[in-house]
Amino acid sequence: MAKTAPVEDWASDFDVMDPEYIADPFNIWDSLRNTCPIAHTNRRGSNWLPTRYADVTAIAHDVGHFSSLEVAVIPFDDDEPEDPVLPYGLPPISADPPLHTWSRRMLLPWFSHRRVEGYEAMTRELCKGLIGTFVDDGEADAATQYAQQIPVRVIAHILGVPNDLSDTFTGWVRDVLEFADDPERRISGMEGLITYFVGEVAQRREQPGDDLLSELLRTEIDGEPIEESVVLGAAALVLIAGVDTTWSAIGSSLWHLATNTEDRVRLNSEPDLMATAIEELLRVYSPVTMARLVKQDVEFAGCPMKRGDRVLMNFPSANRDPEVFEDADKVVLDRAVNRHLAFGSGIHRCAGSNLARMELRVALEEWLSRIPEFRLADPAAVTWAGGQVRGPRTLPVVFP
Ligand code: HEM
């Protein structure tokens, strides 16, 4: 089956890049959960798509059978040579233990509660400044003029790279994640990113600072400096993992508030709901799907998974499983119990979740304080990206 052919049967021939799936995967998951909870496809190789919370969680925790050596939802072509600059990919996300364990440990302090508190003031100023550029116009693209602009600048600050390259970074990250089905674009995006970081690393060796890149170069494991390829991979990961994901979460949340007057009014009048509202918006509009590589033949929940098959970690569908969440498809701003999987589960659980939550909260607080009432300018003009990261890419709103 050609990877672009329209999907006739979601259970046996799904395609996460199908326009129908990108626009509205929710009905597809609902129907699969009831009929074929782990779907399969032979497009882009043999891939499985679990849709239930219990299955997604079990696979995420079974690192013995399910490896993270291939986490891209759109796999690389078989004949693509391995990247000589990044033999380990982007650790820790693309690594199994033991590399996973120490490379994750080396990143975690940068995203602790205490560190993240330190990034809040600059994030707030950034959001205020962005809103200031369009608030008097009565209209804006909440995706391109707002959501998209925030995470990349916060990450640039943490990495110690210049702010004025933000658009270039965004372009590279989109090429790697959003346009991954076009190998030329994906490869050139990755090359752009890595070439840039190779230059930055050389510069930090000459003139170290107190940013993440300099610190990674100073870090020693068992008395030895870390291999440069791991430093490059981890730095590139922070950019790739922190940009599209968070901007998609901010954009989807603003889309929800633009299209659901009741929730918007409630959040404006009960700002104390922000903490639970954020968890709920993350649950319902979870942006991220990851992949796992089957290490050895295994029968999982009756599915004969073969070595080399891939499993798409459908965290977004798990989060709408009615077995676990009452009114699973509904946004309940004060949902009390919410063990959602938007940040994954198990050893690879998102290392940047404190930062993501802070950015989402500050972005919504600042938007609602200046633009409490807003709606879509034209629902047909909204566009969504999907595949590895789902979120709005064009989101024109009006606030007359
Ligand atoms: C709303 C925004 C975000 C979402 C929904 C999200 C989601 C995820 C998910 C689902 C994983 C698990 C991957 C897997 O199981 O293979 C993950 C891992 C990761 N995320 Fe995030 N993420 C977000 C923001 C961020 C930010 C802001 C950063 C930091 C700059 C970040 C850094 C990472 C890292 C380093 C990992 C790899 C952890 C590991 O492999 O041990 N993420 N993220």
Side-chain angles (χ1 to χ4, degrees):
M1 179 63 72
K3 63 182 180 187
T4 50
V7 174
E8 308 268 334
D9 178 0
W10 286 96
S12 63
D13 181 35
F14 73 82
D15 183 357
V16 294
M17 296 308 280
D18 187 279
E20 189 188 336
Y21 189 93
I22 291 175
D24 178 9
F26 314 114
N27 287 321
I28 298 170
W29 297 331
D30 284 348
S31 136
L32 286 173
R33 253 184 250 111
N34 291 324
T35 52
C36 175
I38 303 184
H40 183 260
T41 190
N42 277 319
R43 299 181 189 221
R44 305 180 187 83
S46 173
N47 291 279
W48 302 88
L49 183 73
T51 52
R52 289 185 177 165
Y53 188 98
D55 291 336
V56 173
T57 315
I59 295 170
H61 286 260
D62 185 354
V63 290
H65 286 104
F66 302 100
S67 159
S68 281
L69 292 183
E70 279 188 27
V71 283
V73 160
I74 306 300
F76 303 164
D77 290 339
D78 285 344
D79 52 2
E80 252 175 64
E82 263 191 26
D83 187 338
V85 187
L86 295 181
Y88 314 106
L90 308 174
I93 214 164
S94 63
D96 294 329
L99 171 55
H100 171 264
T101 316
W102 64 259
S103 58
R104 177 180 171 91
R105 204 173 291 148
M106 109 195 153
L107 282 184
L108 280 177
W110 287 83
F111 306 106
S112 67
H113 279 292
R114 195 180 52 79
R115 288 279 179 114
V116 167
E117 267 173 31
Y119 310 134
E120 181 165 334
M122 67 97 27
T123 307
R124 204 170 284 284
E125 283 315 302
L126 171 62
C127 293
K128 282 187 204 287
L130 289 167
I131 294 170
T133 63
F134 53 71
V135 68
D136 293 332
D137 299 343
E139 60 176 17
D141 187 322
T144 59
Q145 288 178 267
Y146 192 61
Q148 193 183 98
Q149 304 300 327
I150 301 164
V152 68
R153 286 175 172 75
V154 178
I155 301 277
H157 170 79
I158 296 171
L159 283 168
V161 297
N163 231 335
D164 53 9
L165 282 173
S166 296
D167 290 342
T168 312
F169 289 145
T170 302
W172 287 332
V173 174
R174 290 186 78 179
D175 284 346
V176 171
L177 291 176
E178 192 176 328
F179 302 104
D181 231 5
D182 174 349
E184 250 175 56
R185 236 176 132 165
R186 177 171 48 73
I187 293 168
S188 83
M190 201 61 194
E191 272 174 8
L193 240 154
I194 295 307
T195 308
Y196 177 76
F197 279 120
V198 168
E200 290 294 297
V201 162
Q203 201 213 342
R204 293 306 189 293
R205 288 199 190 281
E206 297 291 314
Q207 282 176 306
D210 56 4
D211 52 85
L212 172 56
L213 262 181
S214 305
E215 192 57 45
L216 291 180
L217 289 171
R218 275 194 287 266
T219 304
E220 292 188 346
I221 302 290
D222 296 334
E224 296 286 326
I226 318 173
E227 265 183 58
E228 184 159 310
S229 60
V230 175
V231 173
L232 288 170
L237 170 62
V238 167
L239 190 61
I240 295 176
V243 170
D244 257 38
T245 50
T246 316
W247 130 41
S248 297
I250 298 170
S252 298
S253 303
L254 289 172
W255 177 84
H256 178 83
L257 296 175
T259 51
N260 290 273
T261 311
E262 217 176 284
D263 283 346
R264 190 176 66 245
V265 169
R266 187 162 181 217
L267 201 51
N268 279 323
S269 60
E270 297 176 61
D272 288 354
L273 284 185
M274 190 56 94
T276 51
I278 281 176
E279 295 313 306
E280 182 66 345
L281 292 164
L282 280 165
R283 179 185 73 81
V284 171
Y285 301 107
S286 294
V288 177
T289 302
M290 299 297 293
R292 293 290 186 272
L293 188 65
V294 178
K295 277 199 210 165
Q296 60 205 31
D297 294 2
V298 59
E299 183 166 307
F300 182 87
C303 299
M305 300 184 177
K306 300 276 174 246
R307 180 166 181 257
D309 284 3
R310 290 148 34 85
V311 181
L312 304 191
M313 302 302 288
N314 199 349
F315 301 120
S317 170
N319 280 343
R320 287 178 177 239
D321 186 342
E323 285 281 318
V324 180
F325 301 99
E326 209 179 317
D327 288 330
D329 282 322
K330 193 166 179 276
V331 168
V332 180
L333 292 180
D334 57 357
R335 193 181 284 277
V337 181
N338 192 349
R339 289 174 57 83
H340 68 74
L341 303 181
F343 292 118
S345 182
I347 65 167
H348 288 279
R349 197 187 164 282
C350 182
S353 59
N354 296 328
L355 180 64
R357 284 183 166 122
M358 181 279 282
E359 290 181 32
L360 184 52
R361 173 173 53 78
V362 171
L364 294 185
E365 282 171 355
E366 289 305 319
W367 179 283
L368 290 176
S369 80
R370 297 293 304 277
I371 311 176
E373 295 308 325
F374 60 106
R375 58 181 165 79
L376 294 185
D378 169 13
V382 178
T383 61
W384 293 82
Q388 191 110 30
V389 184
R390 183 174 192 276
R393 292 295 172 264
T394 326
L395 186 56
V397 295
V398 285
F399 31 92

